[in-house]
Amino acid sequence: MQILFATPGFPPFNGGGERYARSLAQALVAQEHAVTVVTSQAVEEAQFWEGTGGEAGISREENGPLTVIRCPIAPFPGGRPGLLAWRKAMVLYAALPGAQARILRHMARRVPPLQHVDTALAHLSPLPDVVNGFNLSWEHAMVAAWRFARQNGISYVATPFAHFGESGRARVARNATMSHQRQLLQDAEAVLTLTPMENKGLHRWRIHPRRAVVIGGGVDEPPRVDDAPGVLHRHELQKPFVLFLGRVNYDKGAVHAAAAVTRLRLESAHQTLTLALAGHVMPEFKEYMAQLPPQAQEGLRLLGVVDENAKHALLQEASMLLLPSRADSLGIVLLEAWQHSTPVVGARAGGIPGVIDDEENGLLVPFGDEEALAAAVRRLLEDEPLRRRLGRCGQRKVRQSYTWEQVAGRALSAYRRAISDIAHQEGS
């Protein structure tokens, strides 16, 4: 099978969705299919608004049956504030009466402002059997993939990584439910979701694809951790510490994790507790942290983006992983923590409740509830048998349910059915 992926970012871009696309591509190649990835040249999220520099054209990387075609990104006028204003204008326009999908699709060409993506798709040879677009929040690549598929009579499949937040009125869901995004999902031969919670979110927002299939996610084998003490020393960390891993911002729950640890440090039993935050630190969190008193700042360590070895050393040595997020469709870092038998605490929002079984392999708290999050952290710190039990159960769940071979098998079944649907339409 010839499979096309269209995604806004791809490793070395270090994000959960990007790593998901790479691992699925590698699993499909391992089953003797050919995968072409059309993506951007971005290696970090800031380049989605800063651009990838220079006058670079399309680049191409070939590794046997896996081909990666990378397109440059133009700087967005006004940088990140300009892009946020543009996105807000799209959301506001989508709320007006009338048909807005065509204009919103045109506006989406700046989210992010990929260059030459239509040219890259037009020159593909041979044509793919199926087109899989990824990531509904940065949807330019997905829009281009949908248009390319429809122009060429090719099956189109969407993997939205949809974030529907913590309630039916959640602000975060507005970024995934505009009319052009609804059309991208409802017109697809299949929508591949990561958890049953994502399917429920589609239903809650009255988005009705022809077919929604939960294919789940997998987790790569972790690297061997050779120097965990050295990693902790470099980052000035001592046990016990808790770990936050991901984009350090409000929607991911970083602010609430920091507030919970700050609250616990006021208790005599937990005065030395530290929260390590590994990932790209967004301006909003820097502003939040700057307003904290010095004694509260002492309990927080901003590590920035860390490499794979350091990430797994931190996961191995942490007392627990916190992901109190409303913006995760799966949360691969939860699976990575479980690989090390490290217990996890997540928010009852987005796709996380579809991964964590509360009280069985982790703990769930309401998004934004700092008191409940602090109580969950305190409980795990003070109950070592519970920490061990939750971590072991999580490790067992990863081994049983989250292999890329299983995910690839479910994706291939969906692709074959999508191809059959297109053939049936052409024959009728």
Side-chain angles (χ1 to χ4, degrees):
M1 191 183 300
Q2 297 282 341
I3 303 164
L4 171 67
F5 282 8
T7 175
F10 196 77
F13 192 118
N14 188 26
E18 291 73 27
R19 288 184 286 123
Y20 183 101
R22 178 195 59 194
S23 296
L24 178 56
Q26 291 173 337
L28 292 167
V29 165
Q31 298 189 30
E32 301 185 350
H33 301 279
V35 180
T36 298
V37 181
V38 173
T39 186
S40 75
Q41 294 172 356
V43 296
E44 59 182 24
E45 189 182 45
Q47 291 180 309
F48 281 173
W49 52 85
E50 294 175 356
T52 50
E55 298 296 328
I58 297 171
S59 62
R60 185 183 183 96
E61 308 157 14
E62 295 194 28
N63 183 13
L66 176 61
T67 300
V68 182
I69 300 171
R70 299 185 187 271
C71 301
I73 298 179
F76 196 98
R80 182 172 183 267
L83 177 57
L84 292 176
W86 185 263
R87 196 57 162 178
K88 184 175 182 180
M90 291 180 69
V91 171
L92 292 174
Y93 180 66
L96 297 175
Q100 316 99 341
R102 183 178 63 83
I103 292 177
L104 286 168
R105 282 198 303 272
H106 182 75
M107 296 178 74
R109 294 177 68 87
R110 289 179 172 268
V111 189
L114 280 169
Q115 304 294 290
H116 317 311
V117 63
D118 293 326
T119 300
L121 292 169
H123 285 85
L124 291 177
S125 181
L127 285 176
D129 299 301
V130 63
V131 175
N132 195 159
F134 290 80
N135 201 333
L136 200 61
S137 296
W138 297 95
E139 71 268 30
H140 184 180
M142 184 179 279
V143 170
W146 167 79
R147 185 167 53 244
F148 170 77
R150 290 297 169 250
Q151 289 170 348
N152 290 279
I154 300 170
S155 299
Y156 159 71
V157 172
T159 302
F161 301 145
H163 304 152
F164 294 113
E166 71 278 17
S167 74
R169 298 185 299 276
R171 176 189 61 82
V172 70
R174 303 295 180 187
N175 194 46
T177 56
M178 290 178 272
S179 57
H180 70 298
Q181 295 168 315
R182 290 171 174 269
Q183 186 181 60
L184 287 170
L185 301 182
Q186 292 176 169
D187 189 55
E189 273 68 58
V191 173
L192 309 185
T193 60
L194 307 193
T195 68
M197 303 304 298
E198 195 174 355
N199 274 16
K200 290 179 180 178
L202 293 171
H203 180 77
R204 187 171 73 236
W205 284 91
R206 296 182 175 85
I207 299 172
H208 303 295
R210 301 176 194 179
R211 186 178 299 112
V213 182
V214 179
I215 70 165
V219 61
D220 300 326
E221 283 296 316
R224 178 177 175 179
V225 176
D226 294 321
D227 186 26
V231 171
L232 299 191
H233 177 74
R234 285 195 299 275
H235 291 294
E236 300 180 348
L237 285 171
Q238 295 181 343
K239 296 183 178 182
F241 71 94
V242 297
L243 178 65
F244 174 95
L245 188 58
R247 188 179 298 110
V248 184
N249 67 2
Y250 182 89
D251 284 341
K252 286 279 191 176
V255 170
H256 310 117
V261 169
T262 298
R263 182 189 295 254
L264 286 171
R265 281 173 59 88
L266 298 176
E267 302 173 6
S268 59
H270 305 297
Q271 288 179 349
T272 61
L273 181 64
T274 301
L275 171 66
L277 300 110
H280 184 62
V281 184
M282 304 304 289
E284 66 199 63
F285 188 86
K286 293 178 182 178
E287 294 172 5
Y288 162 80
M289 188 168 171
Q291 297 171 3
L292 295 175
Q295 59 268 33
Q297 293 186 26
E298 290 175 2
L300 307 177
R301 296 284 189 279
L302 296 181
L303 311 187
V305 177
V306 299
D307 62 28
E308 284 295 297
N309 183 72
K311 178 180 74 175
H312 282 277
L314 293 166
L315 286 166
Q316 175 181 287
E317 299 300 316
S319 297
M320 70 198 74
L321 173 75
L322 305 185
L323 190 64
S325 166
R326 65 178 179 183
D328 275 86
S329 48
L330 177 67
I332 289 178
V333 294
L334 299 171
L335 311 184
E336 292 175 324
W338 281 340
Q339 286 179 312
H340 299 279
S341 297
T342 299
V344 299
V345 181
R348 195 174 281 108
I352 291 175
V355 179
I356 297 176
D357 305 297
D358 193 26
E359 300 286 342
E360 182 177 332
N361 46 46
L363 301 178
L364 291 172
V365 299
F367 174 81
D369 192 331
E370 299 166 5
E371 184 175 354
L373 181 57
V377 173
R378 181 191 300 110
R379 183 181 170 197
L380 288 178
L381 288 172
E382 297 176 357
D383 191 339
E384 183 176 356
L386 177 63
R387 287 203 312 273
R388 291 182 179 274
R389 177 176 66 81
L390 296 180
R392 284 196 302 267
C393 288
Q395 187 179 62
R396 185 162 55 248
K397 184 173 184 177
V398 166
R399 291 172 176 170
Q400 293 174 347
S401 304
Y402 291 103
T403 71
W404 283 113
E405 183 180 8
Q406 293 170 324
V407 177
R410 290 189 285 266
L412 284 167
S413 295
Y415 293 160
R416 291 187 179 106
R417 190 167 179 181
I419 292 168
S420 176
D421 286 351
I422 285 289
H424 179 74
Q425 292 172 23
E426 292 177 347
S428 61

